Amino acid sequence: GHDAKAVSHVNSVLQNADKIIDKHQEVKIIAGNVGFEQRHESSSEQTSDSAAADRRHLPKLSLEYHGYQVAVWSSLTKTPPESDSVTWTTQMTSDRTNVFEKLLERWTGPCSIAVYTKDLVSDIAIFRKFFSRCDFHFVPAAQGPYPVNTLRNVAINHVRTKWMLLADVDFIPNVGAHELITKRFNEMDKYDGKAVFVLPAFQLKEGLEIPKDKAQMLDFMKDRRAHQVHDDPGRKIAHDKTDYDTWKTAEFIYAASYQFP
């Protein structure tokens, strides 16, 4: 079963962890999903002092099931988010910190972030400045492809609000997105949990400033400075059902017809 498979890989997951965990400290069993990829090299120069401190006080990692069993270390905000709110939910590695900071400049609501980490101690030091702002869930890396769906599950399963917004880390919301969504809660509640609400996604020409609101986005679309994300023929189906033509003039939630291929 999953338990036997996970335990058989404890040693590989502990390859880095056993160097930083106090041997006298109680540690829960750590296991990881086979097929993890090491996507980045952490910079230790800028965070060496704080990383050294973290190595002396590394918290326990726990074994959790998120489609696969994975080791997770979580840092939660001291003040829990209001339950009737919406959480930005994503996964990332520490090499995406710059774009993550841009996201937080616009998103004012709670966040649940799964971080895939090759060096747990260094990445804790890198993200510590965000701990008062977001919930983080660090997953130690092993060999294999980047486990995007498992990481999404980690972030999703740790959401502490009624609503969540699932997006990749390089998606930047419009200004005031959290407030605009919460204003729609009464309308969204009418569907009794039987609907998924889609935020239209766009991509811009390189080097352009990200539009702040719908009016600016519509202006960018006139000359294709911005357009539907992945609108090339091979991938258009991924977002085409959002019905961008209807979105351009819509003022209220509208139905999007979709059938799984």
Side-chain angles (χ1 to χ4, degrees), residues 184 187 191 195-202 214 239-257:
R184 300 281 194 182
E187 185 178 358
Y191 294 87
V196 174
F197 301 94
V198 179
L199 295 185
F202 303 87
K214 182 174 181 177
H239 292 268
D240 194 43
K241 298 303 180 179
T242 299
D243 190 357
Y244 287 80
D245 287 338
T246 297
W247 173 83
K248 291 178 180 178
T249 57
E251 297 182 3
F252 303 97
I253 295 173
Y254 61 91
S257 177

Side-chain angles (χ1 to χ4, degrees), residues 64 66 72 74 76 112 135 137 153-160:
E64 301 177 1
H66 299 283
V72 180
S74 294
L76 306 182
S112 178
D135 291 348
H137 314 286
N153 289 343
V154 170
I156 289 170
N157 292 337
H158 282 285
V159 166
R160 296 192 283 169

Side-chain angles (χ1 to χ4, degrees), residues 84-97:
D84 193 23
S85 185
V86 55
T87 298
W88 190 281
T89 308
T90 193
Q91 41 72 37
M92 64 181 297
T93 49
S94 60
D95 59 340
R96 309 307 298 275
T97 306

